[in-house]
């Protein structure tokens, strides 16, 4: 299954500013105090008074977010940092998470009726990030089971975040329309600063493993319990289930130790009228579920031009995400007396209730996702005359995803 989806947004606006006299206003004047109370609440430049948005906007700065956490997306890094925002974590790598901002604001699928997205609108530098919804809806062939969806924020370099503003009240709908019924997450990326080139490099490595594991019966214990069951439930009062000498802990077979590696390099700087920031990031996460992994490669660049009346900002980020997930039966625990291999050294065809040999399925089946995406925005601001400016924003979000899900007849 291959899908290419693109979204383009173009915004234009003219902002007429009050022309003020040349007199300098004292710092304690009413006018200066009112200016300090005005904040920007959207990518359109909409302004509201601070007292009107208390409790309805959460702002997180880059220093509030610990990007060294071993997570693949920024949303998992801000769990618990934003009041009124519930983020349901998913242990599967790059799997779309469930973000609720003050509850649900739209309909969900019910009794065969198709619903709408319940997730907030995500905007990066004024550009809407497309949510990865199923290509085929449930009406046709199973919807969510038809393809592997990924978290759009997993396509984004978390080290490139300058700030995150979360709009929680109904005013977000007036700014962005019905798509903002579940709230809005505004992400602002880092920009270059005037001065000599500044270099930054960071790397991290970690390991992971399952905790609080259930202690399972051995093969001999399982045979004994099964014999006791037969004795207590058979009509004749007797029953035998001899132990075949096999002892397999299927959880340990399908789960082991995982590791995480990530590195990020950035260079930024600027001169009188020009600034830049370029970043490269790479990460590889091998899950504790054997054979499952996620690899991310990305490059992003921000260029800024400030030349008199003309201001231009360009942002572009390319990301490749490859998710390999053949181990889909990691939590299916077969009886401990079921052998992994037969007498010839091949995978045994032992299974239970339609579940194949989990290890055989992991080696013989193929489940992966290869996603290439481009997120870019161009903002141009020009002062036509004193007190009159024109601002134009053009953006694009393109995603090309190839999803393979193949089940081998061998298992």
């Amino acid at each position: 299954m291959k899908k290419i989806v693109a979204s383009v947004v173009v915004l234009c606006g003219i902002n007429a500013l009050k022309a003020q006299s040349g007199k300098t206003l004292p710092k304690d004047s009413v006018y200066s105090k009112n200016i300090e109370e005005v904040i920007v609440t959207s990518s359109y430049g909409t302004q509201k008074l601070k007292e009107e948005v208390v409790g309805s906007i959460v702002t997180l700065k880059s220093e509030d977010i610990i990007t060294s956490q071993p997570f693949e997306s920024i949303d998992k890094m801000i769990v618990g940092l934003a009041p009124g925002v519930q983020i349901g974590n998913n242990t599967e790598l790059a799997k779309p998470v469930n973000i609720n901002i003050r509850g649900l604001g739209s309909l969900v699928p019910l009794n065969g009726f198709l619903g709408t997205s319940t997730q907030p609108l995500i905007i990066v530098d004024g550009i809407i990030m497309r949510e990865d919804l199923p290509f085929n809806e449930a009406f046709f062939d199973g919807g969510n089971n038809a393809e592997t969806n990924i978290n759009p924020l997993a396509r984004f370099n978390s080290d490139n975040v300058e700030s995150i503003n979360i709009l929680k009240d109904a005013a977000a709908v007036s700014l962005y329309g019905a798509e903002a019924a579940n709230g809005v997450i505004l992400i602002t990326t880092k920009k270059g600063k005037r001065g000599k080139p500044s270099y930054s490099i960071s790397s991290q490595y970690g390991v992971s493993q399952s905790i609080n594991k259930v202690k399972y019966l051995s093969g001999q214990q399982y045979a004994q319990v099964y014999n006791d069951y037969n004795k207590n439930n058979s009509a004749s009062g007797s029953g035998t289930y001899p132990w075949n000498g096999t002892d397999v802990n299927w959880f340990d077979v399908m789960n082991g130790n995982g590791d995480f590696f990530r590195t990020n390099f950035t260079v930024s700087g600027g001169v009188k009228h020009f600034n830049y920031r370029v970043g490269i990031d790479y990460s590889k996460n091998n899950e504790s579920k054997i054979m499952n992994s996620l690899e991310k490669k990305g490059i992003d660049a921000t260029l800024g031009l400030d030349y008199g009346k003309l201001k231009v900002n360009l942002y572009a980020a390319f990301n490749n995400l490859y998710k390999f997930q053949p181990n889909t039966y990691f939590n299916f625990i077969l009886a401990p007396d079921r052998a992994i291999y037969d007498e010839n050294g091949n995978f045994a065809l032992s299974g239970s209730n339609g579940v194949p040999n989990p290890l055989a399925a992991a080696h013989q089946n193929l489940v992966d996702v290869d996603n290439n995406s481009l997120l870019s925005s161009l903002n141009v601001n020009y002062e036509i005359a004193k007190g009159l400016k024109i601002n134009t924003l053009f953006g694009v979000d393109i995603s090309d995803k190839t999803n393979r899900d193949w089940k081998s007849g061998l298992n």
Side-chain angles (χ1 to χ4, degrees):
M1 177 186 297
K2 186 167 184 177
K3 176 172 67 174
I4 300 178
V5 179
S7 60
V8 179
V9 59
V10 179
L11 303 174
C12 298
I14 297 178
N15 182 22
L17 304 176
K18 282 188 177 181
Q20 302 295 331
S21 62
K23 297 177 64 178
T24 302
L25 294 172
K27 292 184 179 181
D28 58 348
S29 66
V30 174
Y31 178 78
S32 63
K33 287 182 180 179
N34 288 337
I35 288 297
E36 292 174 359
E37 295 172 357
V38 174
I39 61 176
V40 176
T41 62
S42 76
S43 301
Y44 296 105
T46 306
Q47 296 178 348
K48 298 180 71 175
L49 295 180
K50 284 184 178 180
E51 59 265 23
E52 294 178 352
V53 297
V54 171
S56 63
I57 293 181
V58 176
T59 299
L60 299 175
K61 299 293 184 180
S62 57
E63 54 267 22
D64 301 324
I65 305 171
I66 304 176
T67 56
S68 60
Q69 299 177 75
F71 296 127
E72 74 281 4
S73 58
I74 190 68
D75 49 341
K76 294 182 179 181
M77 300 179 185
I78 63 173
V79 173
L81 298 181
V85 180
Q86 295 178 333
I87 301 177
N89 201 350
N90 194 314
T91 57
E92 183 180 330
L93 297 178
K95 188 73 174 178
V97 295
N98 184 18
I99 304 177
N100 286 332
I101 300 178
R102 291 183 174 176
L104 299 179
S106 55
L107 294 175
V108 297
L110 181 64
N111 295 330
F113 292 95
L114 300 179
T116 58
S117 172
T118 60
Q119 297 306 291
L121 192 65
I122 301 174
I123 300 177
V124 180
D125 285 350
I127 305 305
I128 297 175
M129 287 193 76
R130 180 188 60 84
E131 183 181 357
D132 191 19
L133 295 173
F135 182 75
N136 296 312
E137 293 292 349
F139 178 78
F140 296 102
D141 62 356
N144 291 323
N145 296 323
E147 67 174 285
T148 302
N149 300 115
I150 60 175
N151 184 353
L153 289 174
R155 303 191 278 119
F156 188 75
N157 182 8
S158 56
D159 284 305
N160 200 29
V161 175
E162 178 66 28
S163 66
I164 298 177
N165 288 285
I166 303 176
L167 310 186
K168 301 187 293 183
D169 64 352
V173 179
S174 66
L175 298 172
Y176 298 101
E179 287 185 314
N182 296 290
V184 180
I185 299 177
L186 299 174
I187 299 177
T188 304
T189 61
K190 294 179 179 178
K191 307 295 190 296
K193 298 180 180 179
R194 185 182 303 176
K196 295 181 179 180
S198 175
Y199 303 92
S200 173
I201 184 170
S202 62
S203 296
Q204 58 187 119
Y205 177 81
V207 295
S208 64
Q209 64 177 190
S210 301
I211 61 174
N212 298 327
K213 294 188 291 185
V214 176
K215 183 174 177 59
Y216 295 98
L217 297 175
S218 66
Q220 187 174 11
Q221 292 171 333
Y222 178 79
Q224 179 62 46
V225 172
Y226 207 103
N227 277 319
D228 293 341
Y229 170 82
N230 285 337
K231 291 178 181 179
N232 294 327
N233 289 277
S234 63
S236 61
S238 64
T240 59
Y241 185 85
W243 178 43
N244 59 7
T246 302
D247 187 5
V248 178
N249 187 321
W250 282 100
F251 185 88
D252 289 343
V253 169
M254 303 306 297
N255 299 269
N257 295 324
D259 58 19
F260 172 80
F261 172 76
R262 182 185 179 195
T263 185
N264 183 75
F265 172 77
T266 59
V267 56
S268 62
V271 291
K272 183 177 180 181
H273 300 293
F274 178 76
N275 64 76
Y276 62 90
R277 187 180 189 277
V278 180
I280 301 174
D281 71 288
Y282 172 82
S283 66
K284 179 70 178 289
N285 195 327
N286 295 308
E287 291 189 67
S288 59
K289 308 164 189 173
I290 64 166
M291 300 181 65
N292 289 358
S293 64
L294 175 69
E295 185 177 29
K296 289 173 54 181
K297 293 171 283 187
I299 181 171
D300 56 81
T302 303
L303 306 176
L305 175 67
D306 188 349
Y307 191 79
K309 298 181 179 181
L310 177 65
K311 293 180 177 61
V312 180
N313 285 288
L314 172 65
Y315 169 74
F318 173 80
N319 179 274
N320 171 261
L321 183 150
Y322 180 70
K323 180 179 179 179
F324 187 60
Q325 191 181 5
N327 185 358
T328 55
Y329 294 105
F330 60 90
N331 60 346
F332 282 81
I333 309 301
L334 300 184
D337 61 351
R338 299 293 182 94
I340 303 176
Y341 305 98
D342 60 22
E343 59 275 6
N344 298 320
N346 301 317
F347 285 116
L349 296 178
S350 59
S352 176
N353 298 325
V355 179
N357 181 331
L359 189 62
H363 282 85
Q364 296 165 353
N365 296 345
L366 176 60
V367 181
D368 68 352
V369 178
D370 191 6
N371 188 89
N372 293 300
S373 62
L374 173 67
L375 182 68
S376 180
S377 65
L378 175 64
N379 183 273
V380 180
N381 186 292
Y382 184 76
E383 185 177 0
I384 300 176
K386 187 175 181 179
L388 183 64
K389 293 182 180 180
I390 184 170
N391 185 74
T392 300
L393 173 66
F394 172 80
V396 61
D397 178 17
I398 301 176
S399 181
D400 179 5
K401 184 177 74 173
T402 301
N403 182 197
R404 296 182 294 180
D405 190 345
W406 182 75
K407 300 295 190 296
S408 171
L410 295 176
N411 57 74

